[in-house]
Amino acid sequence: MTKPGKFTGLGTIVLAIVFLVAIVFAANNSTVLGWVIAVIAFGWLALSTLVYIGVHKAAAFGARQVKLAQAEMAQRTSAKAPADGGTRLVSDDAGSRQAAKARELKLDHSFKIISVQIGVVNEHLGKDDAMVARALETIDITARNGRGMVNPNWEAQEARMDAAMEKKNAARAGETRPGTRGPDGDEPVSGVVLD
């Protein structure tokens, strides 16, 4: 049971004093009205005491129930928590729903950032070149981060593809020069290479 507050029983104390004063006056005057007032004061004192004890016990019971519920919740949480202190890494490789949901939220946030920056570019285009440059830089960084979430090795793959394309273009340029015939004896191919 917890210790009651400083002024918790003040009303009961006041009623006890009123009861004692009523008894003293009733005994000194020996009147019926004095004894009736003493009985009424005693009734209120008894009722106040019962209410005080009931409320105090109910508060103590409630406090015990809250502590018990908190202890049970802590026990359940610690039983479900991993042994590494409760920290859990959500891996994209695990294929878990949590990892997929986290990735989707990050991508959604990236798309929102890009949308906002496109609005900034449209608003400041031709007016504030520095603001447009910062917005374009933010779009580029956000797009790179988003690509990294979808494919962590995208930069290496893109570098390999660029190197292969340069090698292929160099081989093509070496095979057919303007004004010469191709390897099959056909006319040289000219035009623009589209990636």
Side-chain angles (χ1 to χ4, degrees), residues 31-90:
T31 62
V32 175
L33 182 62
W35 286 108
V36 170
I37 291 174
V39 168
I40 291 172
F42 177 73
W44 280 109
L45 177 62
L47 181 64
S48 171
T49 303
L50 290 174
V51 168
Y52 171 75
I53 292 171
V55 167
H56 185 53
K57 283 185 179 180
F61 177 76
R64 281 194 308 271
Q65 292 299 325
V66 167
K67 285 181 184 177
L68 181 65
Q70 287 174 339
E72 286 178 7
M73 292 270 296
Q75 186 178 14
R76 283 188 204 142
T77 304
S78 66
K80 290 180 183 178
D84 63 352
T87 304
R88 196 165 48 125
L89 177 64
V90 178

Side-chain angles (χ1 to χ4, degrees), residues 25-139:
F25 280 128
N28 283 344
N29 293 335
S30 292
T31 62
V32 175
L33 182 62
W35 286 108
V36 170
I37 291 174
V39 168
I40 291 172
F42 177 73
W44 280 109
L45 177 62
L47 181 64
S48 171
T49 303
L50 290 174
V51 168
Y52 171 75
I53 292 171
V55 167
H56 185 53
K57 283 185 179 180
F61 177 76
R64 281 194 308 271
Q65 292 299 325
V66 167
K67 285 181 184 177
L68 181 65
Q70 287 174 339
E72 286 178 7
M73 292 270 296
Q75 186 178 14
R76 283 188 204 142
T77 304
S78 66
K80 290 180 183 178
D84 63 352
T87 304
R88 196 165 48 125
L89 177 64
V90 178
S91 171
D92 288 339
D93 298 333
S96 69
R97 290 179 65 184
Q98 290 176 335
K101 184 70 174 171
R103 195 177 94 208
E104 287 173 7
L105 287 173
K106 287 179 183 179
L107 287 172
D108 180 57
H109 183 68
S110 294
F111 293 139
K112 287 177 185 174
I113 290 172
I114 290 172
S115 295
V116 168
Q117 294 305 319
I118 288 172
V120 170
V121 168
N122 289 334
E123 182 180 337
H124 294 283
L125 194 60
K127 298 175 188 171
D128 187 357
D129 292 339
M131 183 68 87
V132 170
R134 282 194 300 269
L136 290 174
E137 181 183 10
T138 302
I139 290 172

Side-chain angles (χ1 to χ4, degrees), residues 19 24 45 82 90 105 141-142 148 160 168 175 181 183 188 195:
F19 172 67
V24 168
L45 177 62
V90 178
L105 287 173
I141 291 169
T142 306
R160 283 193 304 267
K168 192 173 186 180
E175 287 177 4
R181 297 205 174 259
D195 290 334

Side-chain angles (χ1 to χ4, degrees), residues 163-177 180 182-183 193:
M165 196 62 147
E166 285 179 20
K167 185 177 177 182
K168 192 173 186 180
N169 287 339
R172 283 183 186 164
E175 287 177 4
T176 58
R177 292 192 180 106
T180 62
V193 176

